[in-house]
Amino acid sequence: MDINTWLTVITVFTAIIALIPKDDLNLNLNSISKFEKILAVVLLLFVIPYLIYFENLADVITLLNVFTITKGFAPTNIAFSIFYVVFIWFLVRLFVFKSKITITPKNLEYLTDILNRKSFDEFFKLFTKYNSKTMISKNWDEYKNIILNPSFLNNVVVNNSNYLLQYWEKLNEENDFQQIFRLFLENPHSAYYSEIKTHWNSYELLEDNPFLKTIIKDNLTLSINNGILRCFADFVSNQLQQEANSNSFYNQGFQLSRIRENQGWDLPVYYHIRFIGLLYSTAIRNKVDISMLSHRYTNMQTIYSSIIKQLIENISRDNIDLEKEYPSNNHWLISEIFSLQSEWLSSFGDEYSDEKYYFDETSSYVSFIPFSLRLCLNELHDGFSKLKISKDFLINKYYYNVLSHYFSHSLNRKVKESIENEILLKIPQNIKEDVYNYAFDEKYAITLEDFKNNKFEKLRESEIAILNDLKKIFN
């Protein structure tokens, strides 16, 4: 092969390499080890030229003839073979081992540069092409700065949250965890909102919701230990404070939707209310005591009452008709909070058949659920004193979310005692008789006076037994 032929070969191979995208080429070049680079340079710049001009050199330096073999390969053919092997080796590195690029500071810096200067789709295609889940998990500390880059997160949270979920267990630092979780809260198009909405008619976590399943079931310990409840409470508090004006949509009169599936989803806070409901109902149904999961955080006793406090604070007394069942959207949201806690009480405290009985006498839920309800009722009393909550609304919550459970034959004894101590013994005197009058009439069709005078002729023995238990704490 003469020099012109070699120039043609080199030109063809260079043209082929030029077809390879620049970013792919750079990543692979950055992945080649120092030894491989040195070897390639020696072969391409010294060995191959030496073989090409071997015959001319041998004419001048006759000693080189000792390296020749009769009927052996021509030096130029050997040179081409070496050149071809180097080229094939490079193509193999580029296409066969494309997911095995070396994790080097230079490569990570280059990937970050691509993330910042190109569209996210271009970056993500390249990033997933060369970086497998196993590689990222194994080298999390090296990849962390890319994964937690705001440009990366803001796109993945909306468009490909499942990609992020596969590394969720790596978020074992509180700041990292809360940074990502808050992004889901802040973006109304994230999986947080879309998956919660699928639970419009379900108190139980649906399996085909990967985001919720990841954070409140599969990795609940990680979530609690990283302060998910505190992060959540701060975000919701700030959101409600921004709604603190009389013209807010939350202060408009509640309109009952004809389609139950659409109810409440135009109120962002409703998603947060349902999220906490799902978190605790899932823990209860899996017999997981949240207070035992973390050495840093436990049940947030005020998780719901603080929301009710702000909702009541936001209620405007202008143009509000307290005689209505739900004078405003704020009132409806408050009612939903009580309904969800009522569901916790049913799931945890009612003695169903064995396969559905989630009670555990050592669980913190024995006291937490009634205590949470009491704190919420305290906020309603405060709202009642400010003329933002009607007496009927308050009484309704006492009966349907507390006393209706207390009157149940299937309520566990320990839970019943907790309701007595946390709620019934602390009903304010100014509303106590009204609460019981309404409850006795609704449940047993008797009056408070009948209760006081033991007029139980129409009642069954089991019902009389419940009322006799109540008599012990009534006064």
Side-chain angles (χ1 to χ4, degrees):
M1 298 177 64
D2 58 23
I3 190 63
N4 291 325
T5 304
W6 268 105
L7 289 174
T8 302
V9 170
I10 292 172
T11 300
V12 171
F13 284 133
T14 301
I16 294 173
I17 292 174
L19 295 175
I20 301 171
K22 178 183 176 182
D23 292 326
D24 294 72
L25 191 59
N26 286 335
L27 285 171
N28 279 276
L29 288 175
N30 291 339
S31 300
I32 297 173
S33 69
K34 188 175 182 180
F35 170 77
E36 290 175 302
K37 289 179 179 178
I38 293 174
L39 180 59
V41 169
V42 170
L43 290 174
L44 294 174
L45 298 185
F46 297 98
V47 176
I48 291 177
Y50 165 76
L51 291 172
I52 293 173
Y53 292 101
F54 180 82
E55 292 180 354
N56 294 332
L57 290 172
D59 289 339
V60 178
I61 307 173
T62 57
L63 186 61
L64 293 178
N65 288 314
V66 299
F67 297 106
T68 61
I69 302 173
T70 303
K71 296 184 179 180
F73 290 106
T76 52
N77 291 338
I78 298 175
F80 178 78
S81 299
I82 294 174
F83 180 84
Y84 190 73
V85 168
V86 171
F87 181 75
I88 293 299
W89 159 81
F90 180 77
L91 293 180
V92 168
R93 286 296 302 264
L94 185 63
F95 296 108
V96 178
F97 300 123
K98 63 184 179 182
S99 62
K100 298 183 180 299
I101 65 172
T102 305
I103 307 304
T104 64
K106 196 170 183 179
N107 256 341
L108 295 174
E109 182 181 346
Y110 189 74
L111 285 169
T112 303
D113 177 63
I114 297 173
L115 173 61
N116 293 330
R117 66 181 168 81
K118 290 199 170 186
S119 71
F120 182 77
D121 288 342
E122 289 180 278
F123 162 80
F124 194 67
K125 182 178 180 180
L126 192 70
F127 184 73
T128 52
K129 175 181 179 181
Y130 288 107
N131 301 279
S132 65
K133 175 187 176 182
T134 302
M135 182 187 298
I136 295 175
S137 297
K138 187 177 179 180
N139 302 278
W140 175 254
D141 289 339
E142 286 78 10
Y143 280 100
K144 177 179 172 181
N145 289 335
I146 293 178
I147 300 293
L148 299 183
N149 185 297
S151 296
F152 185 95
L153 290 177
N154 287 329
N155 281 278
V156 171
V157 162
V158 177
N159 301 315
N160 198 349
S161 60
N162 286 343
Y163 181 83
L164 190 59
L165 295 179
Q166 61 187 332
Y167 306 113
W168 201 264
E169 61 184 20
K170 295 293 182 180
L171 303 176
N172 49 20
E173 293 184 19
E174 187 170 324
N175 289 337
D176 296 342
F177 177 92
Q178 292 190 10
Q179 175 192 359
I180 293 179
F181 180 63
R182 193 175 181 88
L183 285 176
F184 279 94
L185 293 177
E186 291 172 346
N187 196 308
H189 303 294
S190 71
Y192 171 85
Y193 291 93
S194 60
E195 292 187 10
I196 289 176
K197 193 171 183 178
T198 65
H199 293 81
W200 66 272
N201 64 343
S202 175
Y203 291 110
E204 187 173 359
L205 179 65
L206 304 176
E207 286 296 317
D208 57 345
N209 288 265
F211 173 75
L212 293 176
K213 184 173 181 290
T214 297
I215 64 172
I216 68 177
K217 183 178 180 181
D218 297 343
N219 296 281
L220 182 57
T221 299
L222 178 71
S223 296
I224 297 300
N225 202 42
N226 280 312
I228 188 174
L229 294 178
R230 184 182 297 271
C231 175
F232 173 88
D234 288 344
F235 176 82
V236 176
S237 176
N238 290 333
Q239 190 175 74
L240 283 172
Q241 287 175 20
Q242 294 172 10
E243 293 290 342
N245 66 78
S246 59
N247 296 321
S248 169
F249 182 64
Y250 289 83
N251 265 320
Q252 294 182 19
F254 175 77
Q255 298 293 326
L256 183 65
S257 173
R258 295 183 179 221
I259 304 175
R260 180 68 182 86
E261 184 177 352
N262 296 332
Q263 196 71 62
W265 303 119
D266 50 353
L267 303 166
V269 174
Y270 183 48
Y271 290 87
H272 310 319
I273 291 171
R274 291 302 300 266
F275 173 73
I276 292 300
L278 283 170
L279 188 150
Y280 272 98
S281 65
T282 300
I284 289 169
R285 291 169 189 268
N286 287 280
K287 295 189 174 182
V288 175
D289 187 351
I290 286 178
S291 70
M292 303 299 293
L293 295 182
S294 171
H295 62 280
R296 305 169 64 191
Y297 298 104
T298 182
N299 297 307
M300 183 173 267
Q301 311 287 358
T302 60
I303 192 68
Y304 267 155
S305 61
S306 59
I307 295 177
I308 291 180
K309 180 181 179 68
Q310 189 63 51
L311 287 171
I312 292 176
E313 184 68 24
N314 290 354
I315 292 174
S316 172
R317 291 172 54 185
D318 299 334
N319 302 319
I320 188 170
D321 184 1
L322 291 180
E323 297 302 317
K324 291 184 178 180
E325 181 180 8
Y326 303 118
S328 71
N329 287 319
N330 283 312
H331 290 80
W332 181 78
L333 290 170
I334 291 169
S335 186
E336 287 299 296
I337 289 175
F338 277 96
S339 295
L340 289 166
Q341 291 177 105
S342 181
E343 170 62 22
W344 298 349
L345 205 55
S346 293
S347 297
F348 180 73
D350 283 3
E351 298 176 346
Y352 297 120
S353 57
D354 291 341
E355 66 270 19
K356 290 186 177 180
Y357 189 35
Y358 306 116
F359 176 77
D360 179 355
E361 64 178 9
T362 65
S363 173
S364 67
Y365 301 142
V366 172
S367 59
F368 166 70
I369 299 174
F371 184 65
S372 177
L373 278 163
R374 176 165 75 84
L375 293 179
C376 292
L377 288 165
N378 287 348
E379 296 302 333
L380 289 192
H381 283 287
D382 185 59
F384 176 56
S385 68
K386 295 177 179 177
L387 303 181
K388 293 184 175 183
I389 298 294
S390 70
K391 181 186 288 187
D392 287 345
F393 188 88
L394 178 54
I395 291 173
N396 181 281
K397 301 311 162 213
Y398 267 108
Y399 175 68
Y400 287 103
N401 304 118
V402 178
L403 284 166
S404 63
H405 295 284
Y406 184 85
F407 293 150
S408 172
H409 304 296
S410 60
L411 187 66
N412 178 272
R413 183 67 241 176
K414 282 187 172 294
V415 177
K416 180 172 286 191
E417 290 174 355
S418 184
I419 290 176
E420 292 172 351
N421 295 327
E422 295 293 347
I423 302 176
L424 300 186
L425 285 171
K426 298 175 181 178
I427 300 177
Q429 289 298 323
N430 67 331
I431 199 170
K432 183 175 180 179
E433 290 196 352
D434 293 315
V435 168
Y436 283 114
N437 234 335
Y438 181 85
F440 293 147
D441 182 45
E442 285 291 309
K443 180 64 178 177
Y444 302 114
I446 63 173
T447 65
L448 178 60
E449 289 302 314
D450 292 335
F451 169 75
K452 292 179 178 179
N453 297 319
N454 296 319
K455 292 184 178 180
F456 302 146
E457 295 85 0
K458 300 178 181 179
L459 305 182
R460 295 188 292 269
E461 289 186 11
S462 58
E463 295 173 329
I464 295 173
I466 292 173
L467 291 174
N468 285 331
D469 284 340
L470 187 59
K471 268 184 172 297
K472 298 173 185 178
I473 66 164
F474 179 76
N475 296 319

